[in-house]
């Protein structure tokens, strides 16, 4: 039997989220002054839209109302997506980030910003942007070499479809 509230909440809510073909990425219970907030982060390979978030939010709320998982007292339920600069912590996160620019903190020290080209069970194939007009270079990182990774927001990147047109 799980002991922490987050584990009990995950056991309660994950089947419902999974039934929608979504992943339950994160659960956090926080105190904001006298109020409690339950934050639930959901995602999928194709991302999530506002309609999906609203539907899941309604169903999670009903499920929570039927249980005592949040205990007595009021709380606010917030359901959302991981956001643009999400950390990459699971293999599926790397797969979803193919084509995206990512900042890697390396286990040996230092950092690298590169675009993920491919992901397999051992690591990632990257395109490291060229500096001062130089061509990009290829690099491979195994997952053991990555201490942390986070997607970088790009404001001026052209979509591949625009480039091909």
């Amino acid at each position: 039997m799980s002991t922490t509230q987050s584990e009990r909440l995950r056991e309660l809510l994950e089947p419902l989220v999974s039934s929608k073909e979504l992943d339950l990425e994160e659960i956090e219970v926080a105190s904001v002054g006298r109020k409690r907030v339950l934050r639930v982060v959901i995602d999928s390979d194709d991302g999530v839209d506002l309609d999906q978030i609203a539907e899941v939010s309604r169903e999670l709320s009903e499920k929570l109302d039927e249980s005592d998982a949040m205990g007595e007292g009021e709380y606010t339920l917030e359901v959302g997506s991981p956001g643009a600069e999400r950390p990459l912590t699971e293999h599926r996160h790397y797969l979803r980030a193919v084509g995206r620019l990512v900042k890697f903190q390396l286990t040996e020290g230092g950092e690298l910003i590169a675009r993920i080209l491919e992901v397999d069970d051992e690591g990632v194939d990257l395109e490291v942007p060229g500096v001062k007009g130089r061509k990009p270079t290829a690099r491979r990182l195994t997952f053991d070499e990555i201490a942390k990774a986070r997607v970088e927001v790009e404001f001026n990147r052209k979509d591949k479809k625009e480039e091909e047109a």
Side-chain angles (χ1 to χ4, degrees):
M1 178 89 186
S2 60
T3 54
T4 69
Q5 183 179 28
S6 290
E7 288 172 335
R8 287 192 309 271
L9 287 166
R10 182 171 286 278
E11 286 176 7
L12 177 69
L13 303 179
E14 195 157 33
L16 190 150
V17 173
S18 295
S19 74
K20 305 288 183 197
E21 298 183 7
L22 299 169
D23 295 314
L24 179 59
E25 295 291 352
E26 187 179 327
I27 292 178
E28 176 190 17
V29 180
S31 294
V32 181
R34 291 183 175 165
K35 297 181 180 183
R36 292 180 305 150
V37 177
L38 170 58
R39 292 187 182 100
V40 177
V41 178
I42 59 174
D43 200 8
S44 77
D45 289 343
D46 300 320
V48 290
D49 62 33
L50 291 176
D51 291 335
Q52 289 173 302
I53 290 172
E55 179 184 350
V56 169
S57 181
R58 280 190 299 276
E59 293 187 26
L60 291 181
S61 181
E62 289 173 14
K63 187 86 163 176
L64 288 163
D65 289 347
E66 295 169 1
S67 78
D68 65 348
M70 286 299 292
E72 296 297 318
E74 294 182 19
Y75 66 92
T76 301
L77 172 63
E78 295 178 358
V79 179
S81 65
E85 293 183 335
R86 69 149 343 132
L88 306 179
T89 58
E90 304 281 339
H91 187 265
R92 69 177 178 266
H93 298 165
Y94 287 91
L95 289 170
R96 292 174 184 162
V98 169
R100 305 282 308 270
L101 198 63
V102 175
K103 182 177 189 177
F104 296 92
Q105 299 289 330
L106 305 177
T107 55
E108 299 287 320
E111 62 184 39
L112 171 68
I113 297 178
R115 190 167 311 283
I116 297 179
L117 300 176
E118 289 188 36
V119 179
D120 59 33
D121 291 340
E122 287 81 42
V124 292
D125 292 326
L126 306 171
E127 178 184 79
V128 181
V131 180
K132 296 183 181 178
R134 293 190 178 139
K135 292 190 180 224
T137 57
R139 178 156 179 194
R140 172 136 179 105
L141 287 177
T142 63
F143 290 117
D144 291 344
E145 296 174 288
I146 303 169
K148 292 181 184 178
R150 181 177 296 276
V151 171
E152 293 282 287
V153 175
E154 295 180 85
F155 293 106
N156 60 355
R157 179 170 187 237
K158 290 183 180 173
D159 190 10
K160 280 197 180 260
K161 291 175 188 171
E162 289 177 30
E163 291 174 6
E164 291 171 0

